Amino acid sequence: LHVVPGLLHFRTRRGRTSQGKMSAQCVSMFTSASAAAPRRVAHSHRSDASNASTSQKASSAISRGSTTTRRNGGRRASRVAVAAGTGAPGEMALNPPGSREASFDQAREAIEAVVSKRARKSNKKRKSSSGTKAPQQLRVAVELPLASDSPAAVCAMVAGACGGGVVGTAVYGDPQAATAAAAAGKGSGIKEHVTLEQALGGVQWCDLQRGDGAVALVGIAEHQVASARRVADLSGVRPIVGVNVEWEHAGDGGMTYRSAGAAPAQDAPAPAPGADDVFANSFSVVYSYLPLAIQGLLGATQEGAVFKCVRGGAPEGSPWRILVKDDGGTYQQVGAMQRRPEQTDLENAMYNAAAAKSPVNKGIGVFRGLADKAKSAIPNPLKMMGGNK
């Protein structure tokens, strides 16, 4: 199997796709035939019983809520598990969007749920405490599919995902998108549409400190991280929402980044992390929908997706799901992880799903069942002679 770019263009973690389309950050999903192919093929020829056992173990781990993330030799490893009891009711329900517009609506609901929950907590702390310590700034991210990176498409995404009043200021990495959004008016509920330079240029463009609602960073490129950090600093306690930001991050609020920095170095101590790196890795993904296309060895293409949706619980407690469409066009979950899936994770999940549906493996399973029955039906001559061996 080969995982190839989806029917909707999306941005990989390393930058623009070959089509140059702006979209959400995602793991690289380009695979090719390699020396690992024989191992993959051998791995996919497991019986139905083995695949069923694997699925049961994963489901059991999820229900138990065991979660482990570690680094071995620079590579992250994580059990497919999700913390139990940390999510809101329905947090584990699977409801992938049926269209691009539906994904925008789901992203907006996820942003509203997390921002309103933080606001309630902050109000309780202010009432119960006499201290003057300001609450920590909330930083979340959403990753959405785009058919193109045109200003009109970006404006439609921002209006759908950030509208409704939860976001008061939208800061764009692309000046053309900012101009188009400002010309479209304030019908979405967003009061200010500005570029990075305008946001940092003074109150004549926007007052980040005194503005209402969250601040959305839209399509910010990796080389613009320093400017985005300054915008966040000027925003005070206003929540920051990264919308299709283009730098690489784990999406777990910096847990992976901090654990990697705390790991002992073999030769020399690692340099202290810079402020820009800390900021870039401080976002928690509350919504991600990244379509895939899975191409089989015979040329058949199947649709899939990476999906995460927070419905009010802790963002780190909501799983990253790997989905594949069945013959009826309905998404079926073939994998779930506590961390962002990487290319190897996608390959393993797709191969296991293909192996479970393989008629060859089903035939092997039936043959093994018949062989076991035939073996149990043959009398043991040692038992007939009274032997115990």
Side-chain angles (χ1 to χ4, degrees):
L1 294 176
H2 297 285
V3 183
V4 298
L7 302 180
L8 302 176
H9 295 296
F10 55 87
R11 179 172 299 283
T12 68
R13 293 176 68 177
R14 300 186 181 278
R16 293 183 177 272
T17 62
S18 58
Q19 295 87 351
K21 305 299 182 183
M22 188 196 80
S23 180
Q25 176 208 45
C26 179
V27 295
S28 177
M29 296 170 185
F30 296 91
T31 59
S32 59
S34 64
R39 181 182 63 83
R40 301 289 187 196
V41 173
H43 181 66
S44 67
H45 280 279
R46 300 189 303 177
S47 65
D48 282 350
S50 175
N51 284 285
S53 175
T54 302
S55 299
Q56 291 174 359
K57 290 179 181 179
S59 300
S60 176
I62 291 175
S63 63
R64 289 195 305 270
S66 58
T67 304
T68 301
T69 303
R70 61 187 184 277
R71 273 190 178 267
N72 294 325
R75 297 184 61 186
R76 283 183 291 141
S78 175
R79 282 187 289 177
V80 182
V82 178
T86 60
E91 196 75 34
M92 300 301 294
L94 179 63
N95 63 336
S99 64
R100 190 184 302 110
E101 289 71 20
S103 70
F104 298 164
D105 293 339
Q106 289 184 343
R108 184 183 65 254
E109 293 171 0
I111 296 171
E112 291 175 348
V114 175
V115 170
S116 61
K117 182 179 179 180
R118 171 60 70 89
R120 290 193 300 269
K121 285 186 176 181
S122 299
N123 292 335
K124 289 182 180 179
K125 288 183 178 180
R126 281 196 294 266
K127 292 179 180 179
S128 61
S129 175
S130 59
T132 58
K133 183 178 179 181
Q136 185 178 5
Q137 187 181 63
L138 175 66
R139 295 171 184 169
V140 298
V142 295
E143 302 168 348
L144 298 161
L146 280 180
S148 71
D149 60 352
S150 65
V154 175
C155 291
M157 175 189 66
V158 173
C162 301
V166 65
V167 172
T169 303
V171 182
Y172 297 80
D174 180 10
Q176 293 183 353
T179 302
K186 304 176 181 179
S188 62
I190 303 175
K191 299 178 181 179
E192 299 169 322
H193 299 272
V194 295
T195 66
L196 272 174
E197 291 73 15
Q198 291 171 343
L200 297 173
V203 295
Q204 66 268 27
W205 297 104
C206 67
D207 192 342
L208 293 173
Q209 182 72 36
R210 299 182 180 181
D212 297 326
V215 177
L217 301 175
V218 183
I220 306 298
E222 187 172 3
H223 69 273
Q224 298 172 316
V225 170
S227 298
R229 178 179 61 82
R230 291 198 295 272
V231 168
D233 292 341
L234 292 173
S235 300
V237 297
R238 296 177 67 183
I240 303 297
V241 181
V243 183
N244 284 11
V245 295
E246 300 176 12
W247 60 77
E248 179 179 359
H249 67 103
D252 57 5
M255 295 174 58
T256 300
Y257 180 77
R258 290 191 296 269
S259 62
Q266 296 179 355
D267 300 329
D276 293 345
D277 290 335
V278 173
F279 169 77
N281 287 277
S282 64
F283 288 80
S284 297
V285 173
V286 297
Y287 187 84
S288 179
Y289 176 63
L290 304 172
L292 308 174
I294 302 95
Q295 183 175 349
L297 295 177
L298 300 180
T301 301
Q302 190 175 16
E303 294 183 41
V306 175
F307 180 65
K308 176 174 181 174
C309 182
V310 177
R311 300 179 178 86
E316 292 76 18
S318 182
W320 294 83
R321 306 172 187 269
I322 304 174
L323 311 178
V324 174
K325 279 189 178 181
D326 59 18
D327 296 336
T330 303
Y331 275 121
Q332 300 296 332
Q333 181 174 308
V334 297
M337 307 190 71
Q338 183 69 16
R339 59 171 173 82
R340 183 192 294 276
E342 297 179 351
Q343 178 175 335
T344 304
D345 304 318
L346 293 173
E347 291 178 356
N348 289 339
M350 300 305 178
Y351 275 107
N352 291 342
K357 296 174 61 176
S358 171
V360 175
N361 286 344
K362 291 181 179 180
I364 292 175
V366 172
F367 176 78
R368 286 181 176 175
L370 294 175
D372 292 340
K373 289 181 179 179
K375 182 179 179 180
S376 61
I378 298 176
N380 189 339
L382 295 178
K383 288 185 177 181
M384 296 176 63
M385 295 173 62
N388 294 326
K389 296 183 179 179

